[in-house]
Amino acid sequence: MPPLPHAMADICVLGGGLVGRFVACTLKDRGHNIRVVDSMQLHGISDDIEILKIRVEPEKIATIVDGFDVVVNCLPGRIGHAIRMPLLAISGMNVADLAFTAEDPRDLDNFAKENNSRLVYDVGIAPGLSNALLMHSQMNMEALQTAKIWVGGNPQKPDDSWSYMAPFSPSDVIEEYTRPARFRREGVDMVEPALSERHTVNVPGYGDMEAFLTDGVRSLIDTIESRELVEYTVRWPGHIQKYIDGDFIEKDLIAAWEFDVHRPEFTWLCVLTSDGVSEWRWDVIDEGKNGWSSMARTTGLVTVEVAEMLAEGIISQSGVMPAEIIGMEESLLKRVIEKMRLSGVSISESKSS
């Protein structure tokens, strides 16, 4: 598929949750033609965005996305994977994929290449921007000894209950808490139960919070050669103990973690790498803006850039690729960071030796 002009592409966003709506509206503001597909009635979307109210199912995908240049998969992980193969079966299809799944999309790599289609996955903040920053470090430092990620989206102030509200599908949050976590220590790949290695971490501007092991490393296990490689999720103290102590069904948690658009919240990502001589640290902080949550913004802005790169033909090789591809080219990572900063996201970088 030849590169498309930057000013206009036809982009179909599957899933109209907090992040999907932000992605759709941002892409529309940048001049693209947008369709959003969701089974629920959607609000907060401008009238000049086409809304298709239909349940997304694998057998319907080809019809739903017919004629579109790029598809953005913002569906919950449980259904987000089921539509990947039907999408990649469409010759020349471009997919920016945000679905957080246990399945590895790279299993579809050969299938995508056979159809000259391409899918870039885990295109959020973490996984996503974190992957790009680690790849960037690996390509610009000596052999990595340490590669650590801390990330969390939380209310700005704790409360006497969960001190949390889910900025994306609560079922995906529960997956984070239950899926065994892969990581590497002293050069050995390991697996531990999620929620292990609880420790206190100081969050700039917010003080001490609690971090614990989750399965955020994903493709990095294969692409980053650091002797230590780990990701931690960050929450207010008490949150995860309440989860461990309780006997909750998913329905209860979905209600308890309902996102409150009127409650101030923030997202923090820290990426720390070291080659044993020098240390490189990135801090990304956002507190939301213009009615959009910080997690929608920090996640969605990365997704938007990848969707535009696909539309423009900048990412042109066929196959299935993780977000590390952004960090393999200085210009791509610089583009993402500059666009995020222009949108008001604070991104700071420090190096020491």
Side-chain angles (χ1 to χ4, degrees):
M1 182 177 292
L4 296 159
H6 177 73
M8 183 79 69
D10 296 322
I11 302 177
C12 183
V13 180
L14 303 177
L18 286 173
V19 178
R21 290 201 305 276
F22 174 83
V23 168
C25 292
T26 303
L27 286 168
K28 183 62 183 180
D29 289 344
R30 295 191 183 183
H32 303 289
N33 294 321
I34 306 299
R35 169 186 285 176
V36 181
V37 186
D38 199 287
S39 61
M40 306 292 288
Q41 188 69 40
L42 300 181
H43 303 283
I45 293 183
S46 62
D47 294 338
D48 52 0
I49 291 177
E50 178 191 2
I51 298 176
L52 186 60
K53 188 174 181 292
I54 187 173
R55 182 177 177 83
V56 178
E57 296 174 345
E59 60 271 18
K60 297 177 182 176
I61 276 296
T63 301
I64 290 172
V65 305
D66 184 44
F68 284 86
D69 305 308
V70 178
V71 172
V72 182
N73 183 5
C74 291
L75 293 167
R78 293 176 190 178
I79 59 174
H81 180 69
I83 64 159
R84 285 170 173 155
M85 181 173 280
L87 282 173
L88 292 172
I90 301 169
S91 178
M93 177 52 71
N94 299 293
V95 184
D97 193 294
L98 197 58
F100 187 75
T101 65
E103 298 89 351
D104 192 332
R106 288 173 297 181
D107 291 343
L108 299 172
D109 183 52
N110 287 334
F111 182 75
K113 288 174 178 174
E114 289 168 5
N115 292 287
N116 188 33
S117 52
R118 54 205 55 78
L119 181 148
V120 185
Y121 70 98
D122 281 352
V123 289
I125 181 171
L129 180 59
S130 56
N131 300 50
L133 292 172
L134 286 185
M135 178 56 71
H136 182 68
S137 290
Q138 178 165 281
M139 296 182 71
N140 288 277
M141 300 178 79
E142 299 300 323
L144 290 182
Q145 300 299 307
T146 300
K148 292 183 176 182
I149 302 165
W150 290 267
V151 66
N154 294 283
Q156 291 185 17
K157 294 182 180 179
D159 55 40
D160 56 4
S161 182
W162 285 99
S163 299
Y164 181 69
M165 49 189 187
F168 48 86
S169 171
S171 62
D172 284 356
V173 179
I174 295 167
E175 287 267 351
E176 284 188 34
Y177 291 1
T178 56
R179 187 183 301 164
R182 294 161 287 180
F183 64 102
R184 185 182 302 132
R185 191 142 290 141
E186 296 183 1
V188 179
D189 292 348
M190 307 175 74
V191 179
E192 291 284 352
L195 317 185
S196 306
E197 299 192 10
R198 289 161 62 186
H199 62 279
T200 299
V201 60
N202 186 268
V203 180
Y206 289 90
D208 288 345
M209 296 183 73
E210 189 174 28
F212 47 87
L213 197 62
T214 47
D215 189 43
V217 168
R218 298 164 68 78
S219 60
L220 294 167
I221 280 283
D222 303 319
T223 61
I224 300 299
E225 299 172 3
S226 176
R227 285 184 55 79
E228 182 181 29
L229 176 63
V230 64
E231 182 186 286
Y232 299 103
T233 292
V234 179
R235 297 284 185 260
W236 284 108
H239 168 86
I240 212 62
Q241 191 62 52
K242 183 179 176 71
Y243 177 86
I244 292 170
D245 291 344
D247 184 18
F248 306 99
I249 61 173
E250 184 171 326
K251 185 178 177 182
D252 294 337
L253 294 177
I254 289 173
W257 294 349
E258 184 177 3
F259 194 85
D260 181 356
V261 295
H262 302 294
R263 185 177 185 183
E265 46 77 59
F266 78 104
T267 295
W268 174 60
L269 165 69
C270 176
V271 174
L272 181 69
T273 58
S274 172
D275 58 9
V277 177
S278 60
E279 186 176 272
W280 207 344
R281 172 170 171 155
W282 296 80
D283 282 277
V284 180
I285 297 181
D286 189 65
E287 296 179 340
K289 190 175 181 181
N290 298 329
W292 295 110
S293 76
S294 64
M295 186 58 76
R297 281 165 43 81
T298 53
T299 300
L301 286 167
V302 179
T303 311
V304 163
E305 289 307 314
V306 173
E308 287 200 324
M309 290 172 188
L310 287 165
E312 295 164 28
I314 292 174
I315 298 175
S316 59
Q317 64 266 42
S318 59
V320 176
M321 299 152 274
E324 287 91 309
I325 191 172
I326 303 168
M328 295 178 74
E329 285 194 42
E330 187 96 25
S331 61
L332 299 188
L333 180 60
K334 184 178 180 181
R335 169 175 169 166
V336 171
I337 290 173
E338 285 183 349
K339 287 290 185 70
M340 292 181 76
R341 283 174 170 160
L342 282 172
S343 295
V345 178
S346 172
I347 302 180
S348 62
E349 172 189 2
S350 61
K351 239 180 174 179
S352 59
S353 57

